Amino acid sequence: RMRAYLRGSAPFIQVDPLVFLSPSAGMDVPSQNFLLHAILHLVCMKENDGSDEIDCTKNDAIVLNKGNRNMGAVSLLSCAIFISRSLQKSSQLVVEGLIEDGMTGKMSNGQLYSKLMEDFQYLWDAFIAPAGGSLSTLKLSEDVHDSLNSVRRLLVTSIDKVLTKNEPSEVSAVSIARALTSVELTSSLHSLREALLREYTLNVYPVFKRHIFHEWACQEAKDNRFDKHVSSDKYLMSSSYNGMAKGSVKRFLRQVELPKGVSLHRPSPKISSSGNDHFEAHKSQQVSTVALVFGTDVPTDANSATDSCESDRNKPVRRFAAVSLQSDVPPQHGLVPDSIPPVFENYAVVPPFHERPFLGTLRDEKNHRLTVDGWEVSLTNFMLPSGSSGLDDNEWLYCCSLVLRKPSVSVQLKRSRKYLSEQEIGLECVRKLVSEETSSQSKSNSNEEFQSPLVETEFDGGKSRKMIVSSEPSEFNRKLQEQSWSQSVDSSSDVIVGLAVVSDRNESFRMRETLSIVYSDFCRRNICQPLVDILGNFSNSCVESDCLKSILEPYLSFTAGKWVDRPIRDQELQYSEISGTQLMQSLPPVPLALLFITILLEQKVVIASSRRGMLMAASDAIMQLLKPLQWKHLLVPLVPESMMNDLIHYPAPFILGVPTDEKKSAEILSSLPDDVSLVDLDVGRVMLASEFVHDDLSASDGTVAAAGALRSQVLFLAESLGGIVGGAVDDSWASDGPLQIIPHDNNNKVDDFVSIRNICHDFIIELLSGVHSCCLWIEEKCAGDCTNENDPAIIFD
């Protein structure tokens, strides 16, 4: 009452602890919501809460927030609530089940016995274990301490009696259930629950009542529009507690500042399963969900130029066509063309080769990325955020793009350039798409070897090629025969055309194989113009967009045959293993271990490489090494050039993939912020953030000294862990050993990555051994359906 008088806050409301701590309070809406405020106070409570004298004229939250946080304080309530609402109920059901089984001579309640054993295991691990249990970290009263030791002793002796009387193979669930429901143990658990509630009521609850959290709860109770009791005292709410206004917990979480080490997460929306088995079976057979064609908007005639809007002309690259590859699936399932974000082309386009170093050009020629007719070819994998929560809970879109670019500045070496006549190029071009009915070409049914849909034909007195498709597109053929798109472009500027496939599942193997076969089939003799003309023809707005699906059908069918009888999960696992192998080949053991430790420390990390597909592979491999932990911060495997400056200065931890073939990359990577570490996959090195590299121990504030000490520990740990990794995958790390070195099998690099993944897994498990984190599900209850107004939250300690 004095607080409300001095500070003009909400009238004080007195809530008896039995209101929200009784076993039946779990189903009571007002009690549950008040309990959430009390739980959050325990999460934020400090060690010296009870010792400070509170000046009610000031914000008491400032005073109460001084000092170290009381770790494990939330277990005072959570353990008592778990015993009353879960463990004691399970014990009662098991007692009834034992009586029933004893009368019938059967064991029909085995699930109840298993559930009781799981509950006792959780009680031990999370709360009462002498080392690691959350209650073991608290300064408890003698009353609670005696009750806790009694439960520990009875629980251990009860189980030991069962194990000593029987062989391990003869121990039954019934015998353990009888031991866990003994009168002594049941009574001891009840005493522990009562002691914990007394401890909270007498020592903690008075502190909560003068805390700012309780003041907010009083305000919410005052604002409760369902409260029919009106108090005449504006400083004291004398009427009985009738709950809080709707949305009180959500508003509370917006105001509270959680202490360091505690994070707030919003769970993903629950999506009801339709149970459409046909859709799942159909989806598993698809190589991708959506196919796209994009390129430089170069009009081929006046009509095309008229059809192009002004905004499209201002874009260097626009989307020509997008088609779903699942025409018989309802649009609410999976991806549709409109689901692909407008920024897709920013991720898919690859810069010209002439901006790369000389050695990079030679490497590109060796990898057949320069064609004899002057086109630069890139086939890359990448991921981008889906931007929607309705895509089967997938937050990423997995993409593979085949990009063909003809630069205004050619990088071909004269000694490798061939002279190609128009007649030679014409022999390779595809002049027409014909239906299967009108074609006399027989198709092979063999699944072992790809049967090309491109066949030789006579055209205008000469030879060329035609393509067999399911249905003949008349308008597409008319535009294709009028003028080839590659000859209509302006050679004074770069020309780009690309084909991409996108899926909401990681089907990178099939997508990449599909586009690779498309390129090999169209571009025989390393001549790119046949494929360029087909893709560029989609720039005409009048052509049939569904023709793209007809063109890809034979290639999709062939690549799907290898995976049709296997779940998509197999392809995801295989991609993860290949990705790990590529990361292992890019980084030596010690830098790889340093990267792993840096990510574990939740630092800001930039991964740089000229190989765009390697950026996606490295991101996926890092996520594999972190298991069973998950990276919950920002992850962008491929950062578009337009977003580099903004994301590099993102304030929270991140993992960013920066392609070094962009114009801005060199400038950005050479001037990274002091708190960003750089991983160069092309050079094979890890450069720690500047905050780690200070060694001046004479700093007055100790900040530099702490940074130097942390750097030394990180490097020492990386060297030790890197030695273990190197010994598992590289013979040279055993060169000083006394035993004969057995040659390492370098042909199976996948097994090497599995070994590294197991080492990292064991390292993380050892770090987490004996540590039990606290995870609280915070969800407001209200009368009726309030799911739309209140979203649940997870407090992770």
Side-chain angles (χ1 to χ4, degrees):
R1 188 175 190 274
M2 183 62 67
R3 181 179 67 190
Y5 171 75
L6 292 175
R7 296 175 48 185
S9 60
F12 186 87
I13 179 172
Q14 173 66 33
V15 180
D16 194 308
L18 290 178
V19 171
F20 60 93
L21 296 181
S22 61
S24 60
M27 303 302 294
D28 183 62
V29 171
S31 301
Q32 175 69 11
N33 293 338
F34 193 88
L35 174 63
L36 294 180
H37 283 70
I39 289 286
L40 289 168
H41 168 253
L42 289 172
V43 172
C44 304
M45 195 173 71
K46 304 297 179 177
E47 289 179 343
N48 59 347
D49 269 351
S51 60
D52 282 341
E53 293 183 2
I54 306 304
D55 184 355
C56 292
T57 61
K58 298 180 180 180
N59 189 341
D60 50 353
I62 297 177
V63 178
L64 293 175
N65 280 339
K66 292 182 179 179
N68 296 323
R69 185 164 65 98
N70 196 353
M71 305 291 290
V74 73
S75 58
L76 282 175
L77 283 187
S78 56
C79 181
I81 293 172
F82 174 74
I83 293 175
S84 61
R85 298 186 186 178
S86 180
L87 192 58
Q88 290 182 330
K89 290 183 178 180
S90 297
S91 299
Q92 181 62 34
L93 292 175
V94 167
V95 170
E96 297 173 358
L98 289 172
I99 296 174
E100 178 184 346
D101 290 347
M103 297 176 61
T104 61
K106 300 179 181 180
M107 185 179 170
S108 56
N109 295 286
Q111 292 184 349
L112 293 178
Y113 307 152
S114 299
K115 174 64 167 56
L116 180 64
M117 288 187 285
E118 291 176 1
D119 286 347
F120 268 99
Q121 184 67 46
Y122 178 77
L123 175 71
W124 180 270
D125 290 339
F127 298 114
I128 69 174
S134 56
L135 289 176
S136 65
T137 64
L138 297 178
K139 296 179 180 179
L140 302 172
S141 65
E142 185 177 352
D143 180 23
V144 178
H145 200 269
D146 291 343
S147 299
L148 180 60
N149 286 334
S150 176
V151 172
R152 289 170 176 168
R153 183 180 63 257
L154 289 174
L155 184 58
V156 172
T157 55
S158 299
I159 299 299
D160 285 345
K161 287 180 181 179
V162 176
L163 297 179
T164 54
K165 290 181 180 179
N166 304 278
E167 295 293 332
S169 59
E170 298 177 357
V171 175
S172 63
V174 175
S175 60
I176 295 180
R178 287 197 182 99
L180 295 178
T181 54
S182 64
V183 177
E184 296 84 358
L185 184 56
T186 302
S187 176
S188 181
L189 283 172
H190 180 77
S191 299
L192 176 61
R193 188 200 75 175
E194 294 299 315
L196 290 172
L197 293 181
R198 282 195 301 272
E199 180 85 2
Y200 175 79
T201 303
L202 298 177
N203 298 328
V204 180
Y205 189 59
V207 179
F208 171 53
K209 287 195 296 184
R210 68 189 190 205
H211 198 276
I212 188 68
F213 290 1
H214 186 272
E215 183 178 325
W216 292 343
C218 293
Q219 181 65 46
E220 293 292 345
K222 178 186 176 183
D223 295 341
N224 182 13
R225 57 180 178 272
F226 298 104
D227 187 5
K228 299 179 182 179
H229 302 279
V230 179
S231 175
S232 59
D233 191 339
K234 63 179 180 178
Y235 303 123
L236 181 65
M237 195 179 297
S238 57
S239 59
S240 61
Y241 172 66
N242 195 40
M244 303 178 185
K246 279 189 175 182
S248 60
V249 176
K250 180 188 254 184
R251 289 188 290 273
F252 176 81
L253 290 176
R254 289 175 182 164
Q255 299 178 79
V256 65
E257 182 177 351
L258 294 172
K260 188 175 182 181
V262 178
S263 57
L264 176 68
H265 297 279
R266 298 288 184 182
S268 301
K270 298 178 181 178
I271 302 176
S272 59
S273 176
S274 62
N276 193 337
D277 296 334
H278 168 72
F279 165 68
E280 291 298 330
H282 181 87
K283 182 179 177 181
S284 65
Q285 298 179 13
Q286 288 292 331
V287 172
S288 61
T289 309
V290 174
L292 304 95
V293 176
F294 55 90
T296 308
D297 193 14
V298 183
T300 56
D301 54 33
N303 294 332
S304 299
T306 304
D307 292 338
S308 299
C309 64
E310 185 66 26
S311 61
D312 281 341
R313 281 198 294 267
N314 292 334
K315 297 179 180 179
V317 175
R318 73 172 178 92
R319 193 171 302 175
F320 292 165
V323 60
S324 174
L325 301 177
Q326 296 178 321
S327 58
D328 56 341
V329 175
Q332 63 267 24
H333 294 294
L335 284 175
V336 294
D338 292 339
S339 302
I340 309 301
V343 297
F344 173 83
E345 285 75 16
N346 294 338
Y347 288 83
V349 173
V350 178
F353 292 175
H354 68 81
E355 298 176 0
R356 300 188 176 195
F358 178 69
L359 292 178
T361 302
L362 295 180
R363 183 169 63 249
D364 291 330
E365 286 191 337
K366 182 178 179 181
N367 291 335
H368 306 287
R369 295 187 61 186
L370 292 173
T371 64
V372 295
D373 52 348
W375 289 86
E376 301 174 354
V377 185
S378 299
L379 179 59
T380 60
N381 297 338
F382 60 94
M383 302 188 312
L384 72 157
S386 63
S388 173
S389 60
L391 300 173
D392 299 333
D393 285 338
N394 290 324
E395 58 179 337
W396 295 102
L397 295 180
Y398 297 89
C399 318
C400 187
S401 66
L402 175 64
V403 180
L404 311 173
R405 175 191 287 268
K406 194 164 190 177
S408 57
V409 179
S410 177
V411 298
Q412 279 189 301
L413 299 180
K414 292 183 178 181
R415 62 175 181 271
S416 64
R417 185 179 302 167
K418 291 184 177 181
Y419 172 77
L420 295 174
S421 64
E422 292 296 332
Q423 183 178 6
E424 289 178 301
I425 296 178
L427 294 175
E428 303 298 326
C429 290
V430 178
R431 302 297 185 182
K432 189 176 184 181
L433 275 60
V434 298
S435 63
E436 297 175 341
E437 293 79 8
T438 59
S439 175
S440 60
Q441 178 73 17
S442 61
K443 298 180 66 176
S444 171
N445 294 325
S446 173
N447 291 327
E448 298 180 357
E449 185 176 352
F450 175 69
Q451 182 68 29
S452 174
L454 302 177
V455 296
E456 304 289 343
T457 185
E458 296 286 340
F459 185 81
D460 288 343
K463 291 184 177 182
S464 63
R465 291 193 292 175
K466 64 180 180 181
M467 184 176 189
I468 302 174
V469 294
S470 57
S471 60
E472 184 171 330
S474 57
E475 194 62 29
F476 187 91
N477 284 336
R478 184 181 69 83
K479 285 292 184 181
L480 185 64
Q481 295 170 14
E482 281 183 359
Q483 185 180 16
S484 63
W485 187 81
S486 59
Q487 295 180 353
S488 64
V489 298
D490 183 9
S491 60
S492 62
S493 60
D494 287 9
V495 179
I496 301 172
V497 66
L499 172 64
V501 284
V502 184
S503 175
D504 57 356
R505 297 292 298 272
N506 191 350
E507 301 176 313
S508 301
F509 279 113
R510 290 191 290 178
M511 293 191 295
R512 188 176 182 89
E513 184 182 13
T514 298
L515 295 185
S516 179
I517 297 177
V518 168
Y519 175 77
S520 301
D521 198 29
F522 276 90
C523 306
R524 299 184 310 183
R525 300 173 56 191
N526 204 21
I527 299 175
C528 206
Q529 183 175 327
L531 181 59
V532 170
D533 289 341
I534 290 293
L535 298 179
N537 202 34
F538 285 99
S539 64
N540 299 291
S541 59
C542 58
V543 302
E544 302 88 344
S545 59
D546 290 342
C547 177
L548 178 59
K549 181 179 179 181
S550 300
I551 292 174
L552 295 178
E553 273 180 348
Y555 307 97
L556 296 172
S557 300
F558 174 75
T559 55
K562 300 180 180 180
W563 301 89
V564 66
D565 296 327
R566 299 170 61 182
I568 295 179
R569 181 61 179 163
D570 285 359
Q571 196 172 170
E572 294 175 346
L573 291 175
Q574 186 171 346
Y575 178 80
S576 297
E577 292 175 349
I578 298 300
S579 299
T581 302
Q582 294 175 344
L583 177 62
M584 183 182 65
Q585 293 172 339
S586 299
L587 290 177
V590 173
L592 179 59
L594 184 58
L595 168 62
F596 170 68
I597 294 170
T598 305
I599 298 295
L600 275 183
L601 291 174
E602 296 181 287
Q603 298 296 301
K604 299 178 180 181
V605 177
V606 169
I607 303 175
S609 176
S610 61
R611 301 162 290 170
R612 292 173 171 248
M614 189 62 219
L615 297 175
M616 175 179 170
S619 301
D620 184 86
I622 292 171
M623 297 303 105
Q624 297 300 316
L625 295 179
L626 289 179
K627 289 183 177 180
L629 301 179
Q630 292 183 349
W631 181 261
K632 289 298 183 182
H633 304 290
L634 178 66
L635 171 63
V636 185
L638 178 63
V639 180
E641 185 179 22
S642 58
M643 301 172 61
M644 285 183 184
N645 278 324
D646 295 333
L647 292 183
I648 288 295
H649 294 88
Y650 185 73
F654 57 69
I655 299 177
L656 304 179
V658 175
T660 58
D661 53 7
E662 295 284 1
K663 288 183 177 180
K664 294 182 179 179
S665 298
E667 178 183 354
I668 291 177
L669 294 178
S670 61
S671 58
L672 290 175
D674 292 340
D675 58 346
V676 177
S677 298
L678 174 63
V679 180
D680 193 331
L681 297 178
D682 294 339
V683 178
R685 63 177 178 177
V686 176
M687 302 176 63
L688 288 178
S690 300
E691 292 184 352
F692 286 120
V693 299
H694 298 293
D695 287 322
D696 184 7
L697 301 181
S698 61
S700 58
D701 59 354
T703 304
V704 177
L710 178 59
R711 172 182 177 270
S712 299
Q713 295 178 38
V714 168
L715 293 179
F716 176 78
L717 184 57
E719 182 181 0
S720 302
L721 186 60
I724 299 175
V725 170
V729 301
D730 193 344
D731 298 334
S732 63
W733 284 81
S735 59
D736 293 336
L739 301 180
Q740 181 179 2
I741 299 178
I742 301 176
H744 189 72
D745 184 9
N746 292 321
N747 295 325
N748 199 350
K749 291 293 184 180
V750 172
D751 290 342
D752 290 344
F753 177 70
V754 172
S755 300
I756 296 176
R757 188 173 59 192
N758 292 337
I759 292 172
C760 293
H761 179 270
D762 293 343
F763 180 81
I764 293 175
I765 293 300
E766 184 173 348
L767 284 179
L768 300 179
S769 179
V771 178
H772 298 284
S773 60
C774 173
C775 186
L776 303 174
W777 183 279
I778 308 296
E779 184 172 6
E780 177 179 340
K781 285 191 176 183
C782 59
D785 182 16
C786 63
T787 55
N788 294 330
E789 292 85 358
N790 298 283
D791 298 325
I794 298 175
I795 301 294
F796 182 74
D797 186 349

